Amino acid sequence: DATWKFIVSEVPVQEFFGLPYDRWEGYPAERAEILGFIRASNIKNVVWFSSDTHAVLINDVRLSTFTPPFETTGMKEVVAGPIATTPFGLEIEEVLGPLAPPAFTAFALTPLPQGLGMSCAVLDRFTYALVEVSSSARTVTITPKDAAGRPVCRTPLVITAQ
């Protein structure tokens, strides 16, 4: 009966198709089972957190991103970090070359169905996320920041409880 349900997973649950190894995308049946259970059980106010992708990626958690009917689960995910290891953009660059990180960022930020429709995608720096919960306003505010404490997204993610 808690207002907020925070799920901390080492790897992202959202689909983003960039070097899709070692993530929930690689386990589609298990991913569908978990997301389906949360949805079928009508569990509200679920927020996923992960960090092992070494980037800031904020998006809806969708059952399927590019297969109609493009259903969302009502959940958000915030990927943040790293604070002290190679950022995702450099990993992509090492594999695919210097044009790949800006191309992935553009794809991530472009609205569906041409892109992923993320509200924030930062691949090139050390980051962490500040999470603030307001019981009176029934909100969670998540502000990804760089190592110097400066916000890295245009606006923080603010979620109001359902």
Side-chain angles (χ1 to χ4, degrees):
D1 62 349
T3 301
W4 296 102
K5 291 80 171 176
F6 297 110
I7 299 175
V8 179
S9 175
E10 178 182 3
V11 295
V13 72
Q14 66 179 286
E15 294 178 313
F16 58 87
F17 310 101
L19 301 177
Y21 60 89
D22 191 28
R23 291 200 310 269
W24 282 105
E25 283 180 270
Y27 300 89
E30 292 83 355
R31 180 183 181 276
E33 182 178 353
I34 291 168
L35 297 178
F37 173 81
I38 294 169
R39 189 174 180 194
S41 301
N42 201 30
I43 300 171
K44 302 286 185 203
N45 307 315
V46 175
V47 181
W48 291 77
F49 289 103
S50 66
S51 65
D52 198 38
T53 301
H54 308 166
V56 173
L57 303 169
I58 300 175
N59 206 2
D60 295 317
V61 176
R62 297 184 188 95
L63 297 176
S64 178
T65 299
F66 294 119
T67 305
F70 311 114
E71 291 183 83
T72 185
T73 60
M75 295 178 253
K76 291 282 192 182
E77 180 173 50
V78 175
V79 178
I83 198 62
T85 191
T86 305
F88 191 51
L90 291 177
E91 292 175 357
I92 293 172
E93 185 174 324
E94 288 173 6
V95 174
L96 300 173
L99 299 178
F104 178 80
T105 301
F107 171 67
L109 295 172
T110 298
L112 286 170
Q114 289 78 28
L116 297 173
M118 290 186 183
S119 60
C120 185
V122 178
L123 312 180
D124 63 350
R125 60 196 88 165
F126 297 131
T127 63
Y128 66 96
L130 173 66
V131 179
E132 300 170 285
V133 179
S134 170
S135 58
S136 60
R138 295 179 45 86
T139 59
V140 170
T141 302
I142 304 165
T143 308
K145 297 184 174 199
D146 66 15
R150 296 177 300 250
V152 298
C153 300
R154 287 186 306 259
T155 59
L157 172 65
V158 179
I159 309 168
T160 302
Q162 298 179 4

